[in-house]
Amino acid sequence: MAGSDEVNRNECKTVVPLNTWVLISNFKVAYNMLRRPDGTFDRDLAEYLDRRTPANAHPAEGVSSFDHVIDQSVGLGVRIYRAVAAPANGAAGAAAATLPILEFLTGAPSADPLPVIIFFHGGSFAHSSSSTLIYDHLCRRFVKLSKGVVISVDYRRAPEHRYPCAYDDGWTALKWALAQPCLRSGADARLRVFLSGDSSGGNIAHHVAARAAGEGIKIYGNILLNAMFGGTERAESERRLDGKYFVTIQDRDWYWKAYLPEDADRDHPACNPFGPNGRRLKGLPFTKSLIIVSGLDLTCDRQLAYAEGLREDGHDVKVVHREKATIGFYLLSNTDHYHEVMEEITDFLQANLV
């Protein structure tokens, strides 16, 4: 079980940059305030504490964004990010131009192939949104490294909206993107779509990709960052790292109980996709996967087992295992882990674009 808070904090500080430690520790304090023992969640306080940023029609550092509702029936929105179009004379800054929202959405396909990344934010199914500042920054980074479009999905959150709401919203976002000519590209005018997410968002990306494989929809790649999986039997890393680097087993159990159906345990396929109740993907055209694993995340063994399950079913997987990285290292550009993983993502997008 977890050791004393003082010992765990001191151990954590020896491997995590100070600003990362402060960022994630602040999240942990807030998260502990929001979860109630009876399984309810203080949503009003969560909305107040969530540090958000508005969309920006005027480009900032070469990227603009806008919010758009894609399903009025449930209020499902997305934030769409795209690079600015430099003017013909090569001028930058204020002279750079971005198509107005309606003009962009009604535009023709791009002649050159470009990736469209549908991104699902983390937060263990309960926290954060598409406008949360740290995820806004990450999506902007994805635009810069991909030279494409990023669609960040503001999916419904638990415990107010349990399984399968987040997956349904992810599927709705994929189907919406498939119907937009402006997102197609290349000589064949196809949607070159990648799915990505961290924590619960990585879990959502897997389940949306699995559904797409079953329905014959091509996904060009999955990019999972510390994807959230679990099971009833404790993994070795869960016992070894419990409480040492920001997260406890008790935390994870609370979130699964908040998201899964009320009568389900952690061997439900949503939590344990290749477990005793899961569905194997052998014989299905499941996409290639880039799986980023932090060795100091207590669920790292779950993520490695997930990658091995994909391999056993005959699918293409690359694992980037950063053994000395903690959760959230990809949110701040202050470690070699961050820069090397961003290079891996860039290479993966380029290799699988055509």
Side-chain angles (χ1 to χ4, degrees):
M1 296 300 291
S4 73
D5 285 344
E6 183 177 356
V7 171
N8 291 333
R9 281 198 299 269
N10 289 336
E11 184 174 355
C12 188
K13 285 180 180 177
T14 65
V15 297
V16 180
L18 179 60
N19 49 354
T20 301
W21 184 87
V22 170
L23 174 70
I24 301 180
S25 294
N26 284 342
F27 276 119
K28 182 173 177 60
V29 169
Y31 287 9
N32 288 343
M33 292 169 58
L34 300 171
R35 298 191 307 266
R36 299 186 180 115
D38 64 358
T40 60
F41 187 84
D42 193 335
R43 181 63 62 195
D44 290 338
L45 182 58
E47 296 299 292
Y48 176 76
L49 294 176
D50 190 13
R51 189 179 177 193
R52 298 186 177 188
T53 186
N56 63 303
H58 184 77
E61 298 183 359
V63 179
S64 68
S65 64
F66 62 88
D67 295 327
H68 183 64
V69 176
I70 61 173
D71 186 347
Q72 294 280 359
S73 68
V74 297
L76 177 61
V78 296
R79 178 165 290 185
I80 301 175
Y81 299 83
R82 57 215 165 105
V84 299
N89 61 9
T98 301
L99 288 174
I101 295 172
L102 292 178
E103 188 175 344
F104 172 75
L105 290 175
T106 57
S110 169
D112 298 322
L114 61 85
V116 173
I117 303 171
I118 298 179
F119 180 79
F120 305 101
H121 65 79
S124 303
F125 295 103
H127 302 276
S128 300
S129 71
S130 60
S131 59
T132 297
L133 184 61
I134 55 170
Y135 289 114
D136 186 82
H137 283 171
L138 183 59
C139 288
R140 290 175 185 281
R141 171 58 59 184
F142 280 3
V143 170
K144 291 177 181 179
L145 61 85
S146 70
K147 307 298 188 293
V149 173
V150 173
I151 301 170
S152 182
V153 183
D154 201 20
Y155 59 87
R156 289 170 289 170
R157 293 160 298 176
E160 301 94 327
H161 302 283
R162 292 177 175 269
Y163 168 92
C165 290
Y167 301 159
D168 289 344
D169 290 348
W171 184 252
T172 296
L174 174 61
K175 296 290 284 185
W176 177 84
L178 285 164
Q180 307 307 309
C182 64
L183 298 176
R184 301 174 192 167
S185 64
D188 52 358
R190 297 191 65 174
L191 178 69
R192 289 166 160 78
V193 63
F194 295 78
L195 303 180
S196 182
D198 84 308
S199 180
S200 53
N203 177 290
I204 295 168
H206 162 76
H207 286 284
V208 173
R211 183 172 175 179
E215 298 200 14
I217 295 173
K218 181 173 182 178
I219 305 297
Y220 281 68
N222 259 13
I223 303 168
L224 308 188
L225 299 133
N226 291 353
M228 183 175 163
F229 299 113
T232 56
E233 184 178 347
R234 301 300 185 192
E236 190 278 332
S237 65
E238 291 173 320
R239 297 189 297 270
R240 173 170 47 89
L241 296 171
D242 181 22
K244 287 190 175 181
Y245 299 97
F246 306 113
V247 182
T248 69
I249 290 175
Q250 186 179 16
D251 297 337
R252 281 285 176 255
D253 288 354
W254 190 96
Y255 290 115
W256 283 121
K257 189 174 182 180
Y259 179 65
L260 294 174
E262 292 188 6
D263 59 346
D265 62 21
R266 293 188 306 277
D267 278 335
H268 187 281
C271 179
N272 193 358
F274 298 142
N277 304 314
R279 173 195 177 201
R280 304 302 303 203
L281 299 174
K282 189 173 184 179
L284 290 174
F286 191 78
T287 188
K288 296 180 179 179
S289 297
L290 175 65
I291 300 174
I292 311 300
V293 180
S294 299
L296 300 180
D297 175 0
L298 66 81
T299 65
C300 63
D301 283 356
R302 297 284 183 192
Q303 299 162 48
L304 295 172
Y306 166 76
E308 186 57 33
L310 289 178
R311 290 194 184 104
E312 290 174 359
D313 286 353
H315 300 296
D316 191 321
V317 180
K318 180 173 184 180
V319 173
V320 178
H321 187 190
R322 307 299 300 183
E323 294 185 4
K324 297 300 182 181
T326 64
I327 62 168
F329 76 87
Y330 41 80
L331 299 173
L332 292 175
S333 58
N334 58 353
T335 64
D336 289 342
H337 301 304
Y338 172 92
H339 294 287
E340 291 172 13
V341 162
M342 291 302 151
E343 288 182 8
E344 292 280 0
I345 293 172
T346 301
D347 293 344
F348 181 79
L349 290 168
Q350 292 176 347
N352 295 293
L353 188 55
V354 179

